Amino acid sequence: MGLGLATAQPTKRVMVMTGDGEMLMAMGSFATIAAQGVENLAIVVFDNERYGETGMQATHTAGPVDLVAVAKACGFPVSIQVKTEAELQAALPAIKETKGPVFVDIKVKAEPLPFILPTKDGVHLKNRFREKLLGPDSLL
């Protein structure tokens, strides 16, 4: 979805924020995004090394899998790992402004959170996306 939006809106910055579990389940997207070469897209992964929606099992990023290396190998011109507050501050300009596609893997603390599955109601998801993208008048 982020790639499509970045392609459709080339003058606007598009940031996709996701988790490591979801990114691991869509490894092919690295190659597809890099091959398209969209300059206005930044992918930010909040990497707690856990699958939060299925019980906090360790993901492969808790072991040998390095998402930054995968992004680099696929052709992302900017691929950064963030582990500290100082590294996050240094990465913000790349996330916000650097021509990309940009990939940033932000390591975060795994902590138990309330187990809430996101809605799967297609109409609700479409309307929420449309409103956030185009404003509240887009739903009239």
Side-chain angles (χ1 to χ4, degrees):
M1 190 174 298
L3 175 59
L5 185 57
T7 302
Q9 299 285 330
T11 62
K12 295 183 179 179
R13 186 65 169 188
V14 175
M15 284 187 274
V16 172
M17 296 183 182
T18 190
D20 54 307
E22 184 175 33
M23 199 73 236
L24 286 164
M25 300 299 259
M27 291 285 272
S29 63
F30 281 110
T32 301
I33 291 166
Q36 293 298 311
V38 290
E39 295 182 344
N40 61 325
L41 179 62
I43 308 292
V44 177
V45 170
F46 295 101
D47 186 351
N48 66 356
E49 302 179 351
R50 299 287 181 267
Y51 289 109
E53 290 185 10
T54 60
M56 298 299 282
Q57 302 89 347
T59 68
H60 299 311
T61 63
V65 176
D66 181 345
L67 294 176
V68 172
V70 172
K72 285 180 183 175
C74 287
F76 275 69
V78 178
S79 189
I80 302 166
Q81 186 167 76
V82 170
K83 292 183 179 180
T84 67
E85 179 70 27
E87 290 173 348
L88 177 60
Q89 293 304 316
L92 288 176
I95 294 169
K96 295 178 181 179
E97 302 163 7
T98 301
K99 288 186 178 183
V102 171
F103 179 80
V104 179
D105 182 57
I106 302 173
K107 292 291 189 173
V108 297
K109 180 180 174 185
E111 51 189 355
L113 299 170
F115 187 69
I116 302 169
L117 289 175
T119 182
K120 293 180 179 156
D121 179 340
V123 173
H124 170 76
L125 294 171
K126 174 198 64 124
N127 287 340
R128 183 179 69 187
F129 181 77
R130 184 176 181 90
E131 181 178 15
K132 297 298 180 191
L133 182 64
L134 302 173
D137 292 340
S138 66
L139 300 178
L140 300 177

